[in-house]
C-alpha cells in the first residue's frame, strides 16, 4: 500500500474501533453489535481494491483481536476481515465511479452476513460455540440490519476521504479524469458528474471571455 493510504487507514481504523468498543458495544442492542470497524474496512476496500482491502482488513482485525475486552483467539477476526476486505475490494468499479447506492448496500449486507458466518465457523473450529447459544439466525439478521442502517452515515464519508487522499497534487492531471467513488452512493444513480459540470462551467467562462474580447476589438475598430 502507498504511504498516504496507510496514513489515512490507520487513524480511521483506530477511531472506528474506539467508537465500537466504547459506544456501540455498550448500547446493549438485541442480537449483534453494529460493526463500525467492518464498515470502515468496506469503505476503504471499495476505493483501494481487493489487495488494499485485504491488507486494511487484516490490520483492522488484528487490532480488534488485541484490543480489550477481546475474549477470542488472536487472529480470528483478522482472518475474517482480511477475507471480507478482499472480497469487497473486488466490487470496486473499473471506472472508479459507482452508478447507484444499490451496489454498496449489497456489499454491506453480504459482508455483514458473511463476516458473521465466517466468524462463527472459525469459532466452531477452535471450540467456541457461543454463536449456537445466542442463535445464529438472530445474529445474522441483526448484524445485517444494524450495519445497513449505519452504512449511509459512514461508508460514503470514508470513501470520499480515501478518494481525496489518493488524488495527490502530483497526479492532478489523472485525477481530473476520475470521478468520486462515493458519488454513486450519494447521487443514487442520478447520473450527476461533478467533474463534467466543472469542465462545462470552465468552457462557458472561456467562451464568454473570447466573445467579450471580440466585441471590444470591434468597437475599437469602429472608433478608428
Amino acid at each position: 500500500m502507498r504511504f498516504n493510504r496507510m496514513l489515512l487507514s490507520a487513524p480511521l481504523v483506530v477511531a472506528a474501533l474506539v467508537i465500537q468498543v466504547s459506544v456501540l458495544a455498550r448500547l446493549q442492542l438485541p442480537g449483534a453489535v453494529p460493526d463500525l470497524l467492518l464498515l470502515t474496512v468496506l469503505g476503504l476496500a471499495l476505493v483501494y481494491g481487493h489487495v488494499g482491502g485485504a491488507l486494511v482488513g487484516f490490520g483492522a482485525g488484528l487490532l480488534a483481536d488485541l484490543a480489550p475486552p477481546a475474549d477470542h483467539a488472536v487472529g480470528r477476526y483478522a482472518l475474517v476481515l482480511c477475507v471480507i476486505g478482499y472480497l469487497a475490494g473486488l466490487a470496486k468499479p473499473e471506472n472508479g465511479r459507482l452508478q447507484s447506492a444499490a451496489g454498496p448496500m449489497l456489499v454491506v449486507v453480504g459482508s455483514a452476513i458473511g463476516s458473521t458466518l465466517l466468524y462463527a465457523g472459525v469459532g466452531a473450529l477452535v471450540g467456541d460455540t457461543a454463536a449456537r447459544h445466542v442463535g445464529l439466525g438472530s445474529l445474522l439478521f441483526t448484524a445485517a440490519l444494524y450495519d445497513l442502517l449505519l452504512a449511509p452515515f459512514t461508508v460514503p464519508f470514508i470513501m470520499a476521504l480515501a478518494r481525496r487522499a489518493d488524488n495527490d497534487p502530483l497526479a492532478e492531471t489523472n485525477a481530473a479524469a476520475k470521478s468520486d467513488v462515493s458519488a454513486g452512493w450519494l447521487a443514487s444513480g442520478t447520473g450527476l458528474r461533478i467533474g463534467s459540470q466543472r469542465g462545462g462551467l470552465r468552457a462557458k467562462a472561456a467562451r464568454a471571455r473570447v466573445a467579450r474580447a471580440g466585441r471590444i476589438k470591434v468597437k475599437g475598430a469602429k472608433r478608428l
Side-chain angles (χ1 to χ4, degrees):
M1 292 180 65
R2 290 182 292 181
F3 178 74
N4 57 340
R5 291 185 174 184
M6 293 187 293
L7 195 63
L8 174 68
S9 302
L12 286 178
V13 167
V14 171
L17 181 60
V18 170
I19 295 174
Q20 182 169 326
V21 173
S22 60
V23 178
L24 298 179
R26 299 177 183 271
L27 296 179
Q28 297 183 349
L29 297 173
V33 176
D35 201 340
L36 183 59
L37 191 61
L38 172 65
L39 296 178
T40 302
V41 172
L42 293 181
L44 295 174
L46 287 173
V47 177
Y48 296 161
H50 58 282
V51 176
L55 293 176
V56 172
F58 178 80
L62 186 61
L63 186 62
D65 289 332
L66 298 174
D71 56 353
H72 53 267
V74 176
R76 182 175 171 185
Y77 203 46
L79 173 62
V80 172
L81 287 187
C82 180
V83 174
I84 295 299
Y86 179 87
L87 296 177
L90 295 176
K92 175 187 175 183
E94 293 295 335
N95 60 354
R97 181 179 183 273
L98 297 170
Q99 298 299 323
S100 68
M105 289 172 65
L106 291 177
V107 172
V108 170
V109 174
S111 299
I113 296 176
S115 62
T116 304
L117 288 175
L118 187 57
Y119 186 83
V122 175
L125 293 177
V126 297
D128 184 0
T129 59
R132 296 181 182 178
H133 302 293
V134 177
L136 185 58
S138 175
L139 284 177
L140 292 175
F141 175 76
T142 52
L145 178 62
Y146 296 154
D147 291 349
L148 188 60
L149 293 176
L150 187 60
F153 304 100
T154 56
V155 177
F157 175 71
I158 293 171
M159 292 172 67
L161 286 179
R163 173 57 65 191
R164 177 169 294 184
D166 266 3
N167 292 337
D168 52 46
L170 298 179
E172 287 184 355
T173 55
N174 294 329
K178 296 179 181 179
S179 300
D180 192 349
V181 179
S182 61
W185 184 297
L186 298 176
S188 301
T190 57
L192 295 177
R193 295 186 178 180
I194 299 175
S196 299
Q197 290 178 347
R198 289 178 178 174
L201 291 176
R202 290 175 182 173
K204 290 180 180 179
R207 288 195 296 267
R209 287 195 296 268
V210 172
R212 190 180 303 112
R215 288 195 298 268
I216 293 174
K217 290 181 180 179
V218 171
K219 291 179 180 179
K222 289 181 177 179
R223 291 178 181 177
L224 293 176

